[in-house]
Amino acid sequence: MARDFTSVGVVGLGTMGAGIVEVFARNGVDVVAVEVSEDALERGRAILTGSTDRAVAKGKLAEADRDALLSRVRFAVGLDALHSVDLVIEAVPEHLDLKQRIFAELDRVCKPEAILATNTSSLSVTEISVATSRPNQVIGIHFFNPAPVMKLVEVVRTVVTSADVVADVEGLCKRLGKVDVTISDRAGFIANALLFGYLNHAVGMFESHYATREDIDAAMKLGCGLPMGPLALMDLIGVDTAYEILDTMYRRGGRDRRHAPVPLIKQMVTAGLLGRKSGRGFYTYERPGSPVVVPDEQTPVTADAALGDGTRAGGEPAGPAGLAKIGIVGSGTMATGIIEVFAKAGYEVVSVTRGAEKSAKVFEAVKTSLNKGVVRGKLSEADRDAALGRINWSATLEHLADVDLVVEAVVEELSVKKALFASLDEICKPGVVLATTTSSLPVIDVAMATQRPADVVGLHFFNPAPLMPLVEVVETIRTSAETTATARAVCAALGKTGVVCGDRSGFIVNALLFPYLNDAVKMLEASYSTADDIDHAMKLGCGYPMGPFELLDVVGLDVALAIQRELYLELREPGFAPAPLLEHLVTAGYLGRKSGRGFRDHTRR
Ligand SMILES: NC(=O)c1ccc[n+]([C@@H]2O[C@H](COP(=O)([O-])OP(=O)(O)OC[C@H]3O[C@@H](n4cnc5c(N)ncnc54)[C@H](O)[C@@H]3O)[C@@H](O)[C@H]2O)c1
């Protein structure tokens, strides 16, 4: 007969434990909440009441329900209070010896039929279980942060966990309104195995001054639709906890260098900069435990606003100082979107394509896209006509002689781009910013094709350009500060966020996104889990808008493979080697939605 969990114990009331207490108490389960000292107990109680008070203030929880919830929780110091609970979930710091000691003690204190569960993120549940005399009743129940909000629970079964224990815990997860994925005992399970390499890489970018914390976080939020950027997430997880997880994953997961904690993380732990819980981590918070970020010495002064805020008077472009006329070269998807973006923002545009036929096609595409805006009520007919009227169509580069900025969006071939930049150098006025939209070529190669590399910058728009709010502003080692400032201000005037980064393969977004996607393919290839469960885990555990396999099918497996190869070639990181399964799927013509089949079959939907 299935177990009936009427009372549970939670050990450790930190970031996770306090949230787990709330999950149970909200769902009518009595909880014995245990800490190591009176002080720690008070801190845990404060996290719980803080969270439930916020829920009441937001109208998500009635006051009476909050009171009933809190009345279900009994607080105690020491494990002895757990003698009669049906299940214990341990959520103490991520140290194997500490957890083993606690499990040995729980084994002694708890009734023989009680299930003992760990919320570990990366340690071996098996190694924890053998500290008890009942390893068949030991299981991993891995909640996600914040536990009351995130829907996913990873249920970790070891080789000795009884089938009935797994089934009962799965049933309990359902009762708590959670979605569970049941997996075996491997470092990082599904979600953390895919998440922490990415987080560590992002910290590495910050440590090496590749980009600012704000820009790294904005890039991943706006470029990938993630609920928070990687550095803000490190602060939420806890920098100390993240360190331990990375360290364990490095040691247990085949010594993948990408999991070796970036030195800055250890330094922050030593300095007490633990994230939200200590009031300071990558960002500074109003007070310990608060989610509210306050400005500190690293907070940028917004220069964008000073240079041009996108407001215009009388239809005149009021963009960044002196920029009125923009040249855009190319006739593909990106060029078409970028022409629309500038024209809609009030700039006079000179579009240069390779002939009247191409120009006519681009004109039609821009018109169709603007018409969609009219149909949706986002744009008036007059504004559409004005935008179209601002575009001048040409097939000769000479017409760029008087523009204030050129955006190049031609084919992704270095020789073609270099030849074009050499011509622009001859034709354009001095001091004009010359921008390339390349997503994979080194911007410095293009810059050096001109006599004015200080004026050359990357403006990496995302597809579809009219919709995506992010632009990566790519500085080479020769780009002047003035050029970067102008480029960033142009982005602001277009209503987009420009993030500044160095001239490395993948810039910020692709360098952080594609290795994660590639890792998901490797996980599938190793038969650790299914594509559906991996997609679920990332969506429900980490709040990603799409799972990795859904995204790969949309992006195109060939595109993903090409980007991954570039990253691997430039950075020589063994962990970046493309997953053989990805190569095989591309060879087989399974490219994703565009070919009808990728990781999933799209012809039958
Ligand atoms: N932080 C996250 O995002 C996250 C997410 C999922 C799982 N986890 C896992 O949850 C566990 C806890 O992590 P956390 O981030 O909540 O840590 P934390 O540092 O915020 O909290 C740990 C708590 O355990 C208490 N504690 C220490 N020794 C104890 C003992 N002997 N008896 C009782 N309590 C004791 C501490 O006082 C502290 O309050 C770790 O295994 C971690 O890997 C963390």
Side-chain angles (χ1 to χ4, degrees):
M1 220 183 58
R3 289 173 178 82
D4 185 23
F5 299 96
T6 51
S7 84
V8 305
V10 176
V11 183
L13 308 177
T15 307
M16 287 311 290
I20 295 169
V21 169
E22 183 176 336
V23 170
F24 280 105
R26 253 182 199 242
N27 287 282
V29 181
D30 289 332
V31 186
V32 182
V34 168
E35 259 292 350
V36 71
S37 66
E38 287 295 344
D39 280 356
L41 202 60
E42 271 323 299
R43 276 199 304 274
R45 195 197 297 268
I47 299 176
L48 178 65
T49 48
S51 169
T52 48
D53 285 352
R54 274 197 301 277
V56 170
K58 283 189 198 151
K60 290 187 175 165
L61 187 68
E63 271 187 48
D65 291 340
R66 184 234 358 239
D67 296 345
L69 185 164
L70 295 176
S71 74
R72 282 185 208 111
V73 185
R74 185 157 72 79
F75 291 91
V77 172
L79 301 180
D80 286 338
L82 299 170
H83 53 83
S84 55
V85 298
D86 305 311
L87 163 81
V88 178
I89 298 192
E90 161 280 311
V92 304
E94 191 79 342
H95 298 292
L96 182 61
D97 50 347
L98 173 65
K99 293 198 191 254
Q100 284 183 324
R101 248 186 298 128
I102 287 183
F103 271 72
E105 185 66 8
L106 288 172
D107 190 32
R108 195 183 57 74
V109 168
C110 295
K111 57 188 186 187
E113 63 275 25
I115 293 176
L116 308 181
T118 172
N119 183 49
T120 183
S121 309
S122 56
L123 294 168
S124 160
V125 180
T126 317
E127 282 182 55
I128 295 171
S129 77
V130 294
T132 74
S133 64
R134 52 178 115 175
N136 57 330
Q137 279 163 240
V138 175
I139 193 165
I141 305 184
H142 184 230
F143 285 87
F144 285 76
N145 190 0
V149 178
M150 301 314 288
K151 280 259 173 254
L152 184 76
V153 175
E154 288 173 327
V155 173
V156 186
R157 157 186 68 197
T158 74
V159 284
V160 287
T161 313
S162 308
D164 61 299
V165 169
V166 176
D168 290 350
V169 166
E170 287 172 342
L172 176 65
C173 291
K174 274 198 194 72
R175 198 177 133 197
L176 298 174
K178 301 288 183 192
V179 175
D180 80 272
V181 293
T182 301
I183 44 190
S184 59
D185 188 14
R186 200 175 109 160
F189 316 127
I190 297 177
N192 285 348
L194 297 181
L195 186 69
F196 273 79
Y198 147 72
L199 294 178
N200 203 34
H201 190 178
V203 177
M205 283 183 174
F206 173 69
E207 188 192 51
S208 62
H209 303 285
Y210 180 64
T212 64
R213 60 182 185 184
E214 283 82 4
D215 280 359
I216 293 170
D217 280 352
M220 296 314 286
K221 274 173 69 173
L222 301 176
C224 304
L226 303 187
M228 59 172 68
L231 302 176
L233 180 55
M234 287 287 290
D235 276 358
L236 175 70
I237 290 169
V239 180
D240 51 343
T241 301
Y243 175 84
E244 295 302 335
I245 294 173
L246 280 166
D247 190 49
T248 312
M249 287 187 37
Y250 175 72
R251 284 186 281 109
R252 279 187 74 203
R255 299 193 180 257
D256 183 338
R257 275 204 332 233
R258 292 177 304 152
H259 292 138
V262 165
L264 176 66
I265 302 178
K266 186 61 186 275
Q267 290 159 26
M268 290 175 70
V269 174
T270 310
L273 308 177
L274 307 183
R276 280 192 196 183
K277 62 184 163 190
S278 70
R280 187 150 176 205
F282 288 94
Y283 295 90
T284 303
Y285 299 86
E286 216 171 26
R287 66 191 123 70
S290 164
V292 180
V293 173
V294 294
D296 59 19
E297 67 284 356
Q298 285 181 51
T299 306
V301 268
T302 46
D304 296 354
L307 277 157
D309 61 4
T311 46
R312 20 203 134 277
E316 285 305 307
L323 299 194
K325 202 167 181 184
I326 314 295
I328 297 166
V329 188
S331 52
T333 313
M334 289 316 286
T336 306
I338 294 166
I339 290 168
E340 178 183 335
V341 168
F342 275 99
K344 233 167 39 184
Y347 289 95
E348 190 183 345
V349 172
V350 180
S351 156
V352 179
T353 72
R354 280 169 297 160
E357 217 174 285
K358 297 250 180 231
S359 292
K361 250 181 71 193
V362 178
F363 171 76
E364 281 307 318
V366 173
K367 199 167 86 180
T368 308
S369 175
L370 288 171
N371 275 338
K372 278 189 195 150
V374 173
V375 171
R376 292 198 193 114
K378 291 191 173 162
L379 192 71
S380 71
E381 288 189 11
D383 285 346
R384 173 200 59 196
D385 296 342
L388 285 171
R390 278 192 283 270
I391 310 171
N392 306 285
W393 304 96
S394 163
T396 33
L397 291 173
E398 274 65 28
H399 284 135
L400 300 175
D402 64 342
V403 299
D404 304 310
L405 162 75
V406 180
V407 181
E408 164 278 310
V410 303
V411 67
E412 190 78 342
E413 260 175 50
L414 188 57
S415 57
V416 177
K417 292 198 194 266
K418 278 168 84 165
L420 175 61
F421 272 74
S423 304
L424 293 175
D425 194 20
E426 310 247 300
I427 294 164
C428 296
K429 297 185 294 196
V432 165
V433 171
L434 304 177
T436 171
T437 54
T438 182
S439 43
S440 61
L441 301 169
V443 178
I444 188 68
D445 275 333
V446 178
M448 295 311 287
T450 73
Q451 301 299 313
R452 42 173 127 175
D455 301 339
V456 178
V457 72
L459 274 181
H460 185 227
F461 285 81
F462 288 73
N463 188 17
L467 295 182
M468 294 297 286
L470 183 74
V471 180
E472 286 172 317
V473 175
V474 185
E475 275 182 326
T476 76
I477 44 172
R478 302 275 308 250
T479 308
S480 72
E482 211 185 341
T483 301
T484 304
T486 305
R488 200 164 186 160
V490 168
C491 297
L494 295 173
K496 305 214 180 274
T497 298
V499 295
V500 178
C501 63
D503 186 19
R504 272 198 238 155
S505 179
F507 310 135
I508 301 175
V509 173
N510 287 354
L512 291 177
L513 178 68
F514 283 88
Y516 143 75
L517 296 175
N518 191 49
D519 284 347
V521 180
K522 287 183 186 166
M523 183 178 273
L524 182 70
E525 198 169 18
S527 301
Y528 180 59
S529 187
T530 62
D532 285 352
D533 276 358
I534 296 171
D535 276 351
H536 265 126
M538 297 316 290
K539 285 196 289 190
L540 301 177
C542 305
Y544 281 36
M546 278 191 204
F549 299 106
E550 284 172 323
L551 185 57
L552 279 162
D553 274 4
V554 171
V555 168
L557 275 57
D558 51 340
V559 173
L561 179 60
I563 293 174
Q564 194 58 31
R565 278 190 181 140
E566 289 283 342
L567 287 169
Y568 181 51
L569 276 179
E570 179 165 308
L571 301 170
R572 317 282 165 116
E573 168 56 61
F576 285 174
L581 176 61
L582 187 60
E583 310 234 18
H584 292 180
L585 287 165
V586 172
T587 308
Y590 294 163
L591 307 182
R593 286 202 184 173
K594 61 185 167 189
S595 72
R597 181 161 174 183
F599 285 96
R600 296 195 173 89
D601 186 349
H602 300 278
T603 54
R604 280 185 279 144
R605 291 182 180 215

